[in-house]
Amino acid sequence: MTAAGADPGRAIAVGVGPSGRRKPSRGPRRRRLSVDYVSFMLVFLGLPLAIFLIFVIWPFVQAVFYSMTDWTGFTAEFNVIGLGNFEKLINDAIFMKAMLNSIKIAIVVPIVTIVIALTFATLITVGGPSKGQVRGIRNSSFYRVVSFFPYVIPAIVIGLIWRQMFDPSAGLLNGLLTGLGFEQFDSYAWLGKVGTALPVTMFVIVWGAVGFYMLLFIAAIKGVPAETLEAARIDGAGRFRTAVSIVIPLIRDNVQTAFIYLGIMALDAFVFVQALNPSGGPDNSTLVMSQQLFRTAFTQGQFGYASAMGVVLAIITLLFAALVFIINWATGGRDEGGRA
């Protein structure tokens, strides 16, 4: 009960005491802790949080600590040297080249993969006849299975297969090109030339990833209401216009997620690069940060210095993800609440 003219939102709850007088209530009762509630919180919140802290956060904290030491990795003795390893990284020409290669891969691979995957996904879902029900091209299920096939092959196997195909003397690619009359590709070293080694590596990574992200986009497009696509067709929108103006804006969050995952994979790319060019390619043209980190730690026995490389790689990965979020937000990727 409230006084006349009082703000209902500030009304004070009242109760009746033993003497019949009303007295202010102490507010809503606190929820009593039951065995079910406590066990639920422990299993579904406490346990995952503990696993995350132990196996994700704590190793990263350890890596940050060891990055400020001269630890060799095989002894218990080490000296704390502060930021000495990071100063050394700035002047390390090989690591800077590896970082530049990783950034190039992180820029090219996500863009090319997403463009190809979106194109195939659009053709398979809404790229069919322009009349009748909105559907994909004929035999779309077959194309879906074939496109996904490379993703089920382990990355190391993909790298080794393509390494054999690019072999200068016995590779299938050179054999096909020379058979078609392109004699300049006789014994052509695709992975042995500075100008082609990195593009070929990017191609292999895209080939191995495009099938999965095509299926991701197919699932997202399937979630677009059919009435929306039919209304666009009635208004005279063609396939390309429907894909660009209707489909892509509605699956924008899926594209952002795919871009982040692809960027993280591209910044690592250790398995593909190690399988294609274990030495880092001509003039370190395919060397990436994770590959140089592995060499420094397990070949040169400088785990402290390698930990500093790992910290830099983690920072670049976080900056990449933040940059994707910022670009998506700045270009209109917000929901009704203004959240990116």
Side-chain angles (χ1 to χ4, degrees), residues 162-180:
W162 279 103
R163 183 180 177 183
Q164 295 301 317
M165 293 185 67
F166 289 121
D167 186 84
S169 57
L172 178 62
L173 181 59
N174 285 347
L176 290 175
L177 291 175
T178 53
L180 293 173

Side-chain angles (χ1 to χ4, degrees), residues 134 220-231 246 250:
V134 177
I221 296 173
K222 290 290 186 181
V224 176
E227 297 81 4
T228 304
L229 301 175
E230 291 173 359
I246 304 297
L250 290 177

Side-chain angles (χ1 to χ4, degrees), residues 131-185:
K131 296 181 180 180
Q133 184 181 5
V134 177
R135 62 181 185 272
I137 58 178
R138 185 177 299 177
N139 299 323
S140 58
S141 298
F142 171 76
Y143 299 131
R144 191 180 310 178
V145 173
V146 171
S147 301
F148 185 73
F149 176 72
Y151 189 77
V152 303
I153 304 175
I156 184 65
V157 177
I158 292 176
L160 293 175
I161 290 174
W162 279 103
R163 183 180 177 183
Q164 295 301 317
M165 293 185 67
F166 289 121
D167 186 84
S169 57
L172 178 62
L173 181 59
N174 285 347
L176 290 175
L177 291 175
T178 53
L180 293 173
F182 299 98
E183 299 298 334
Q184 64 269 29
F185 292 105

Side-chain angles (χ1 to χ4, degrees), residues 329 334-340:
W329 179 85
R334 315 176 186 88
D335 59 18
E336 294 180 356
R339 182 183 52 182

Side-chain angles (χ1 to χ4, degrees), residues 206-280:
V206 170
W207 186 86
V210 71
F212 171 80
Y213 291 95
M214 183 197 71
L215 287 186
L216 175 68
F217 294 143
I218 288 175
I221 296 173
K222 290 290 186 181
V224 176
E227 297 81 4
T228 304
L229 301 175
E230 291 173 359
R233 173 176 292 184
I234 293 173
D235 289 340
R239 299 181 185 89
F240 180 77
R241 188 67 176 177
T242 301
V244 174
S245 301
I246 304 297
V247 173
I248 293 179
L250 290 177
I251 64 170
R252 189 186 188 106
D253 289 342
N254 301 87
V255 175
Q256 173 185 275
T257 302
F259 209 103
I260 292 175
Y261 284 159
L262 281 166
I264 293 173
M265 180 192 70
L267 283 171
D268 182 9
F270 174 80
V271 177
F272 290 102
V273 175
Q274 189 69 14
L276 290 168
N277 247 328
S279 62

Side-chain angles (χ1 to χ4, degrees), residues 47-197:
L47 182 61
L49 181 61
I51 293 175
F52 180 77
L53 291 174
I54 293 172
F55 294 103
V56 178
I57 301 300
W58 178 241
F60 182 75
V61 172
Q62 286 183 310
V64 173
F65 171 75
Y66 286 120
S67 69
M68 295 184 288
T69 68
D70 59 357
W71 185 43
T72 62
F74 302 102
T75 61
E77 293 82 18
F78 58 83
N79 300 309
V80 177
I81 59 175
L83 300 178
N85 286 329
F86 295 96
E87 295 177 359
K88 184 179 177 181
L89 280 178
I90 297 175
N91 300 316
D92 189 338
I94 297 178
F95 177 78
M96 298 305 291
K97 182 65 177 295
M99 183 172 66
L100 180 61
N101 291 337
S102 295
I103 293 174
K104 289 179 181 178
I105 296 174
I107 293 173
V108 175
V109 167
I111 294 176
V112 175
T113 304
I114 287 176
V115 169
I116 297 175
L118 271 175
T119 301
F120 288 162
T122 304
L123 289 174
I124 289 174
T125 52
V126 297
S130 57
K131 296 181 180 180
Q133 184 181 5
V134 177
R135 62 181 185 272
I137 58 178
R138 185 177 299 177
N139 299 323
S140 58
S141 298
F142 171 76
Y143 299 131
R144 191 180 310 178
V145 173
V146 171
S147 301
F148 185 73
F149 176 72
Y151 189 77
V152 303
I153 304 175
I156 184 65
V157 177
I158 292 176
L160 293 175
I161 290 174
W162 279 103
R163 183 180 177 183
Q164 295 301 317
M165 293 185 67
F166 289 121
D167 186 84
S169 57
L172 178 62
L173 181 59
N174 285 347
L176 290 175
L177 291 175
T178 53
L180 293 173
F182 299 98
E183 299 298 334
Q184 64 269 29
F185 292 105
D186 184 24
S187 300
Y188 190 86
W190 293 92
L191 293 169
K193 295 182 180 294
V194 176
T196 58

